[in-house]
Amino acid sequence: MSPRKPNLESSIYLGADGWWHGRITMGVKNDGSPDRRHRRARTETEVRRKIKELEQQRTDGRAPVAGRKPTVEAWMTTYLTTIASLKLKPRSLDDYWSKTRNDIIPGLGKHRLDKLAPEHLERLYADMLAEGHAPSHVLKVHRILSRALKIAHRRRMIVENVATLVDPPTVDETEANPFTMEEAKAFLLAAAKRPTFMRWLVGVGMGFRQGEALGLRWKYVDLDAELFHPHWQLQRLTWRHGCTDPHACGARLHHFDPCPPECRTHKGYTRGCPARCPKGCVRHASACPERRGGGLVFTRPKTKKSRNPVPIPPPFIPFLRDHRAQQDDSRAAAAELWEEHDAVFARPDGRPIDPRVDWEEFKALLDEAGISDRRLYDGSRHTAGTILNELGVDMPTIMEILRHTQISQTRRYVKGRSTLSKDAMRRVGDAFLPRPQPPTETKTETVDSRAARSRRRRRIR
């Protein structure tokens, strides 16, 4: 009988070094050569267990590909550069990069991808919460990491996506705080004193997002048909280096040492002293002479539903025509200084309004109108949805106006008012226990005599 073992059968033996060795053929490599794996242990039982695990992975078709696995830092860089960048919108990709640089790489970057364990992720999340990060921030980091590990698992670089074994922090949904009808009128009354009045009328009255409102262009405004076509939005994107050595490019801006308690260098910074740069920092792309892909940019909305046309309330049309006429006067006054961007809401020189300036103006208008502080989303999108609901508009119609893809999302935007609840409960009460009718005056004389009524009054006294 031949001593040759059948194909794909594993071999286990005691080596001259005193270790037990196991070798198993998992398949073939990309170059066609056999993919032969090796495991070793101090005991025969232990090496048989390791070989059995590999055999099971081979049988299930989930064996990791051959070769040394990258670190978490190397894989996240590859994932964001060559995979996520093909699908994500520019602003979302910027957010992925930011959280990867600031949270994932410092906490997990040195771990090898196939050695990453659930305990490593749990420790990272606990440390982030202890540092003061909001649970919603930690949840976003978890989702980014989980997506990257899912792609690695799909490509058989790892056996299992360990992020699915970890429970991220629970996030309480932010309570909406829209304007009441009186607050909305007070806000627009304060905005009427400014040249940007129409921007706030569209935001509060029609529920446009900030980027959609600032990204409106006259080409997509049909005043005759009374329709807005929000095909674009204005966003501020992060600059990227266009040079070959980003670290050297930003050398004069690197900030490695902590600032003294009373720092004079960054005294004028509105956000205080900047954070310290990591070792090998490749930031500060805004100062790169060959920078690209950043600044104020017109981008497409995130979903196809967001590009649906929105009817303009007829009373808004005369104001929009006046706004366009005023913009024509500004263009003539600016002459050669005018920069044509076809923006509906523009600066005096024609450039689009910076979202940061827009946010600061919103806060200033809150103070002028005597309204408590709240988010820009509360004062525009949530307000429009809530007021439409108060006016008796049904949810499907509100969903179409706000251009949501699911009606459950619309219900989160619409906040019920106590006045509506009280009116509803009053009607319920009237249905079960009708209120007593007020006494009515009669014109007929009673049967009692005058003397009897006089005696009754004396008894009462």
Side-chain angles (χ1 to χ4, degrees):
M1 184 176 179
S2 173
R4 180 182 176 88
K5 292 188 176 183
N7 289 336
L8 300 181
E9 185 173 342
S10 307
S11 60
I12 298 175
Y13 59 92
L14 179 63
D17 55 359
W19 287 76
W20 282 88
H21 297 265
R23 296 187 183 277
I24 176 174
T25 301
M26 301 295 290
V28 293
K29 297 180 181 178
N30 292 333
D31 59 359
S33 60
D35 180 8
R36 191 79 170 162
R37 309 283 177 92
H38 170 253
R39 294 292 185 271
R40 72 171 188 169
R42 283 295 184 184
T43 64
E44 182 181 3
T45 303
E46 180 63 18
V47 78
R48 285 187 181 278
R49 184 189 65 79
K50 292 182 178 181
I51 291 297
K52 190 175 181 179
E53 287 181 358
L54 282 176
E55 289 176 340
Q56 188 63 45
Q57 292 175 7
R58 183 184 63 188
T59 302
D60 297 341
R62 55 185 181 89
V65 295
R68 185 174 179 84
K69 302 301 178 290
T71 61
V72 173
E73 178 178 1
W75 172 243
M76 290 302 301
T77 302
T78 301
Y79 167 69
L80 294 177
T81 304
T82 62
I83 302 173
S85 59
L86 301 178
K87 186 175 182 180
L88 294 177
K89 295 292 183 180
R91 187 68 176 271
S92 298
L93 185 62
D94 283 350
D95 187 50
Y96 273 46
W97 269 114
S98 174
K99 290 177 173 55
T100 298
R101 284 193 302 262
N102 298 326
D103 301 306
I104 296 177
I105 290 179
L108 303 172
K110 301 303 179 184
H111 287 285
R112 225 173 71 180
L113 200 61
D114 59 333
K115 300 295 183 182
L116 195 62
E119 294 76 14
H120 300 145
L121 273 64
E122 291 169 345
R123 191 176 303 115
L124 170 67
Y125 301 160
D127 292 342
M128 291 175 65
L129 292 172
E131 292 172 2
H133 288 290
S136 58
H137 180 92
V138 180
L139 179 60
K140 288 180 181 178
V141 170
H142 172 78
R143 288 173 176 170
I144 294 170
L145 189 57
S146 179
R147 179 61 183 171
L149 293 177
K150 181 180 179 180
I151 299 297
H153 177 247
R154 185 183 297 168
R155 300 186 178 190
R156 296 193 303 166
M157 300 175 66
I158 54 178
V159 176
E160 188 174 22
N161 180 0
V162 296
T164 61
L165 308 177
V166 178
D167 291 329
T170 302
V171 178
D172 295 331
E173 188 174 344
T174 304
E175 183 70 20
N177 187 21
F179 293 156
T180 63
M181 184 69 78
E182 292 73 21
E183 288 175 335
K185 291 179 179 179
F187 181 87
L188 292 176
L189 190 62
K193 305 173 185 177
R194 298 172 179 253
T196 54
F197 168 64
M198 280 308 303
R199 179 267 175 274
W200 298 112
L201 185 61
V202 168
V204 176
M206 302 182 63
F208 270 54
R209 301 175 180 92
Q210 183 191 40
E212 293 172 344
L214 300 182
L216 274 176
R217 288 186 276 185
W218 288 113
K219 179 182 178 181
Y220 303 100
V221 178
D222 190 344
L223 295 180
D224 295 329
E226 300 180 352
L227 287 175
F228 277 139
H229 297 273
H231 289 182
W232 296 92
Q233 60 182 348
L234 184 71
Q235 290 185 326
R236 177 175 290 280
L237 303 182
T238 304
W239 290 103
R240 298 194 301 273
H241 281 279
C243 56
T244 56
D245 190 354
H247 179 71
C249 179
R252 65 182 181 84
L253 299 174
H254 290 327
H255 179 63
F256 298 112
D257 300 324
C259 293
E262 296 183 1
C263 177
R264 295 181 177 273
T265 305
H266 309 110
K267 185 178 180 180
Y269 281 43
T270 56
R271 299 184 179 182
C273 296
R276 296 171 60 184
C277 295
K279 186 178 180 181
C281 175
V282 292
R283 301 175 184 172
H284 317 298
S286 59
C288 177
E290 302 175 22
R291 65 183 185 179
R292 54 189 174 85
L296 293 179
V297 179
F298 286 101
T299 63
R300 290 289 188 181
K302 190 172 184 179
T303 63
K304 184 179 179 180
K305 186 83 171 180
S306 298
R307 298 196 288 270
N308 286 356
V310 184
I312 305 173
F316 288 15
I317 299 298
F319 289 95
L320 281 168
R321 295 189 188 278
D322 291 344
H323 176 75
R324 189 168 193 171
Q326 292 173 8
Q327 196 174 86
D328 291 339
D329 294 340
S330 299
R331 182 185 292 105
E336 68 276 1
L337 298 178
W338 182 267
E339 297 183 21
E340 187 58 64
H341 293 274
D342 198 34
V344 175
F345 309 117
R347 308 182 202 182
D349 60 358
R351 292 182 298 162
I353 299 174
D354 193 319
R356 297 173 183 171
V357 176
D358 183 73
W359 180 85
E360 291 173 355
E361 185 176 32
F362 173 75
K363 295 297 182 179
L365 287 172
L366 289 179
D367 292 337
E368 292 179 20
I371 302 173
S372 60
D373 186 39
R374 60 196 68 191
R375 303 175 304 169
L376 179 56
Y377 234 52
D378 289 334
S380 55
R381 206 153 172 78
H382 286 291
T383 295
T386 301
I387 290 180
L388 284 170
N389 183 46
E390 291 180 355
L391 295 175
V393 181
D394 56 73
M395 281 294 172
T397 304
I398 298 177
M399 183 182 75
E400 290 300 318
I401 293 174
L402 298 182
R403 290 157 291 127
H404 289 151
T405 55
Q406 296 178 346
I407 200 166
S408 58
Q409 186 179 10
T410 306
R411 290 193 177 99
R412 290 198 300 269
Y413 272 68
V414 175
K415 182 176 180 180
R417 296 290 191 194
S418 59
T419 54
L420 297 180
S421 301
K422 288 181 179 179
D423 180 65
M425 296 312 293
R426 178 188 59 77
R427 285 181 284 162
V428 169
D430 291 345
F432 286 105
L433 299 172
R435 288 180 290 182
Q437 297 297 326
T440 57
E441 184 180 357
T442 179
K443 303 248 181 225
T444 59
E445 185 67 32
T446 61
V447 298
D448 289 347
S449 65
R450 184 177 297 179
R453 292 197 299 272
S454 179
R455 287 194 299 272
R456 192 160 49 249
R457 284 196 295 269
R458 285 197 296 270
R459 283 199 303 269
I460 294 174
R461 290 174 185 168

